[in-house]
Amino acid sequence: ASVRGTGAQACEHRCRAVASAVAGGTGGTVAEPLRQRLRALDAQLRAGDFSALRGALADEYFGCAPGPHAASAADRITDLVLELQSALPGLSAALDDVDVRDDGDATATCTIRGAHEHTLWGVPGSGNLVEWTAPITIRDVGDRIAVRFDGLTTPERVGLVRQLRLVNPPDEMD
């Protein structure tokens, strides 16, 4: 019996989907089910429904599985985003430029934006608009997805936490 969310299961799922498409089993492309799921998730994120992430994200991360007794990727990411949403109550996200490839993976541009109105991890709200855009790769894992943020340099990551005032500006650092 296979374990849900393992890399072997994702590979097996993709192989069956490719074989089915080659044999004409579905009448559609391998990419269409993923494309439809991403459209639905995009609509939920644009509406601010971040709890939808828990059902959309795989238990594993894009490149690895969580260790024994560790939180799943779906739980860890969803909990983090819900904490962010509590401090940025108008938070929204969008998946733009979605390109689903024949290999079962997809790429997109993810943009997150909202006004920092309430305390986040001990830092009071600033009222500032926070916006962050990043390229992502999405892997189809059964009926869920795993996401990897691509090409984010350390300065870009620091820029996000600076927008939230979680890190001091350079002139205020020791």
Side-chain angles (χ1 to χ4, degrees):
S2 66
V3 177
R4 177 175 155 61
T6 66
Q9 180 190 14
C11 180
E12 179 183 328
H13 171 76
R14 271 190 264 180
C15 291
R16 276 186 277 135
V18 169
S20 176
V22 169
T26 64
T29 67
V30 173
E32 193 55 33
L34 177 59
R35 187 175 288 112
Q36 290 173 0
R37 288 197 321 271
L38 292 176
R39 274 190 213 123
L41 180 60
D42 179 54
Q44 291 170 307
L45 296 177
R46 286 177 190 267
D49 180 9
F50 293 100
S51 61
L53 288 170
R54 201 172 309 278
L57 295 173
D59 291 340
E60 67 186 49
Y61 293 91
F62 190 90
C64 64
H69 311 294
S72 71
D75 287 339
R76 193 170 292 229
I77 293 168
T78 302
D79 291 347
L80 176 69
V81 173
L82 291 175
E83 287 178 24
L84 191 61
Q85 187 179 33
S86 71
L88 291 82
L91 187 70
S92 68
L95 300 176
D96 293 310
D97 306 319
V98 176
D99 179 30
V100 181
R101 303 182 314 224
D102 288 337
D103 68 357
D105 286 353
T107 58
T109 302
C110 179
T111 301
I112 301 167
R113 72 175 53 92
H116 184 196
E117 297 177 15
H118 304 291
T119 301
L120 176 64
W121 305 317
V123 176
S126 65
N128 293 338
L129 179 64
V130 174
E131 184 170 314
W132 186 58
T133 300
I136 61 173
T137 300
I138 302 157
R139 174 157 296 146
D140 192 3
V141 181
D143 62 343
R144 293 183 178 202
I145 59 171
V147 176
R148 177 183 68 206
F149 287 86
D150 299 321
L152 293 177
T153 64
T154 299
E156 290 170 319
R157 291 181 195 141
V158 172
L160 173 63
V161 295
R162 277 213 174 109
Q163 286 186 60
L164 294 167
R165 295 183 156 184
L166 298 172
V167 172
N168 291 339
D171 60 341
E172 294 178 14
M173 297 185 85
D174 294 330

